Amino acid sequence: MEKDQSINVLGQALAPCSTRPLTGYFRDGHCNTCASDTGSHTVCAVMTEEFLAYSKYVGNDLSTPQPQFGFAGLKPGDQWCLCAARFLQAADEGCAPDVHLEATHQRALDIVPMHILERHAAKQSES
């Protein structure tokens, strides 16, 4: 699995998303991706209670701990590399979380238009 170049949606070096909890397809704290990442885990999102409930409702429970996989469960305020399609689905449903553009991989643009990412951009003070 060779990583795609680590470039964000702004055309700059990809910033880290989260190491606590450790996120990313490669579990390297970045929303890096590769050809094997069919889910395109490329959107660095800030979890909200609303989004976590939505994600659970549509079949991807991110909040329940799964100790057998070393997963403590996400809580509001945690940052996580979301699948681009799930983010777009949540945006269409009106419950998308904020995203950190600097930590969102450019491959997210294959699925999510830039204007939608910008509409949900986290404020700089939250970075």
Side-chain angles (χ1 to χ4, degrees), residues 5-127:
Q5 193 173 10
S6 296
I7 303 295
N8 67 27
V9 295
L10 303 172
Q12 303 164 344
L14 186 66
C17 182
S18 175
T19 56
R20 296 190 92 188
L22 187 59
T23 191
Y25 183 75
F26 293 96
R27 290 299 187 260
D28 61 1
H30 291 75
C31 296
N32 281 304
T33 191
C34 67
S36 298
D37 179 13
T38 56
S40 189
H41 297 79
T42 52
V43 177
C44 181
V46 182
M47 297 296 100
T48 64
E49 192 171 318
E50 179 183 31
F51 175 77
L52 289 169
Y54 171 78
S55 189
K56 185 174 185 176
Y57 173 76
V58 296
N60 188 20
D61 183 357
L62 297 172
S63 54
T64 300
Q66 301 285 331
Q68 68 273 30
F69 299 114
F71 181 68
L74 300 177
K75 61 187 179 315
D78 286 344
Q79 293 183 184
W80 194 250
C81 294
L82 285 182
C83 292
R86 176 69 72 210
F87 172 80
L88 183 59
Q89 180 184 23
D92 288 345
E93 295 288 333
C95 59
D98 285 347
V99 299
H100 285 287
L101 298 177
E102 300 81 2
T104 296
H105 197 281
Q106 67 181 355
R107 289 288 304 277
L109 296 172
D110 293 347
I111 297 169
V112 183
M114 185 65 174
H115 73 274
I116 293 175
L117 291 170
E118 289 174 332
R119 184 179 334 141
H120 295 282
K123 308 233 182 322
Q124 285 300 113
S125 62
E126 293 176 15
S127 304

